[in-house]
Amino acid sequence: MMEEIFSLKDVSYSYYGIIPALQKINLSVDKGEMVAITGVNGSGKSTLLNIINALIYPDSGEFRYKGKVLSEASFRSKEVSLSFRRSMGYVFQNPDIQLFCPTVLDELLFGPRQLNFPHEEALQRAEDTMAFLGITHLKDRSVIMLSGGEKKKVAISSVLTMNPEVLLFDEPLAGLDPKTQEFITDLIGELSRAGKTIVFTTHQIDLIECLQPRVAVLSEDHTVQKTGMAAEILNDTELLSSSGLINKHIYRSISR
């Protein structure tokens, strides 16, 4: 029997109480599973990740993590907050809003220090992670002197130093050159095979085709239109077209 990591039940959210972002979302993710959340811009993908990472809280409905309801009130407990933050890692779409320390090494040390890891352990984690992603040569570099691809790798590294159980990626390939896109795609696959629970948002059909995750399709009215394995979703041309993910005529011509 699979172990459920988190679930959302009838979750709705609106900005300023007037702009709907999510409507009655039901979704669960099991331990070790890879799930893609897809839909057009504005369908609520990033908002959903923000709720899963407890950066915002539902207006209505329940968000459960390992069977326990999480809310703004529950996060007032330092024990609950620390435990959750140690287990969840979030890589933002734009690394510029995630990176703020003077050097790459400082970036990788920041998270473990905030989670009260001993300095020597934090340093070892940073060194190991830089080696794993091949960025050791950047350790003393200022983050503002990095290329877009290097910033993305540093942003991911800063999350991996905390060795979270769950990894959240918001549009992981956005704005990257093809070589870096390939690197990040391979990395996500490798992390999944290592047993990490992974949830990522994307509107890129080829990423879903490559990684073959379970897929949740958000509609333009901010609901879950359909969930299914990648092959099922990608073969449903009407669904992809109606949800704004493809130009049906172009997709058909390419598929022939």
Side-chain angles (χ1 to χ4, degrees):
M1 183 176 178
M2 299 297 291
E3 178 187 346
E4 183 181 88
I5 290 291
F6 60 80
S7 64
L8 301 97
K9 182 178 181 181
D10 292 331
V11 164
S12 295
Y13 184 85
S14 61
Y15 289 98
Y16 312 110
I18 55 173
I19 303 172
L22 297 170
Q23 298 285 344
K24 299 286 185 181
I25 299 295
N26 290 283
L27 181 68
S28 64
V29 175
D30 291 332
K31 183 176 182 178
E33 189 174 21
M34 185 193 300
V35 176
I37 301 167
T38 190
V40 296
N41 291 339
S43 58
K45 301 188 299 297
S46 296
T47 301
L48 183 51
L49 274 197
N50 286 339
I51 286 176
I52 293 171
N53 198 43
L55 296 178
I56 57 177
Y57 303 94
D59 293 335
S60 60
E62 283 186 352
F63 170 53
R64 289 180 176 267
Y65 180 72
K66 295 186 176 181
K68 296 181 180 180
V69 176
L70 292 185
S71 64
E72 190 170 5
S74 65
F75 266 79
R76 295 191 185 109
S77 163
K78 187 174 181 179
E79 181 181 352
V80 170
S81 177
L82 184 61
S83 173
F84 183 82
R85 294 299 170 207
R86 281 193 169 189
S87 64
M88 302 285 282
Y90 191 2
V91 181
F92 289 82
Q93 176 177 341
N94 180 1
D96 284 329
I97 66 174
Q98 189 170 344
L99 305 177
F100 51 84
C101 294
T103 69
V104 168
L105 179 59
D106 290 329
E107 288 289 352
L108 271 66
L109 290 173
F110 181 82
R113 284 172 173 168
Q114 295 302 304
L115 296 178
N116 300 322
F117 287 104
H119 175 73
E120 289 303 319
E121 181 180 351
L123 187 59
Q124 187 62 57
R125 283 172 177 250
E127 297 284 357
D128 291 345
T129 305
M130 285 188 291
F132 177 57
L133 269 78
I135 59 170
T136 302
H137 63 289
L138 301 175
K139 64 183 295 184
D140 297 319
R141 187 87 59 86
S142 168
V143 293
I144 64 173
M145 301 298 292
L146 303 177
S147 68
E150 289 169 340
K151 287 180 180 179
K152 178 66 80 171
K153 290 178 183 179
V154 172
I156 294 173
S157 297
S158 70
V159 169
L160 294 182
T161 54
M162 295 176 282
N163 193 25
E165 184 177 0
V166 181
L167 290 164
L168 310 175
F169 293 88
D170 191 10
E171 296 284 358
L173 304 187
L176 300 176
D177 62 81
K179 184 177 180 180
T180 307
Q181 287 188 0
E182 182 179 358
F183 178 91
I184 301 300
T185 301
D186 290 343
L187 176 62
I188 293 173
E190 186 173 351
L191 291 168
S192 176
R193 289 187 293 274
K196 297 295 185 184
T197 303
I198 295 175
V199 181
F200 65 90
T201 68
T202 187
H203 61 271
Q204 295 177 276
I205 298 299
D206 52 351
L207 180 60
I208 293 172
E209 186 173 15
C210 180
L211 292 175
Q212 293 291 306
R214 184 161 65 91
V215 183
V217 181
L218 297 187
S219 66
E220 292 185 272
D221 62 359
H222 316 293
T223 63
V224 174
Q225 192 167 354
K226 185 176 181 178
T227 60
M229 295 309 296
E232 177 188 358
I233 298 298
L234 295 178
N235 287 329
D236 192 339
T237 306
E238 291 300 325
L239 169 68
L240 297 176
S241 178
S242 66
S243 58
L245 289 168
I246 61 166
N247 179 318
K248 182 165 59 176
H249 304 295
I250 294 175
Y251 189 76
R252 280 177 174 166
S253 67
I254 292 174
S255 300
R256 290 194 182 113

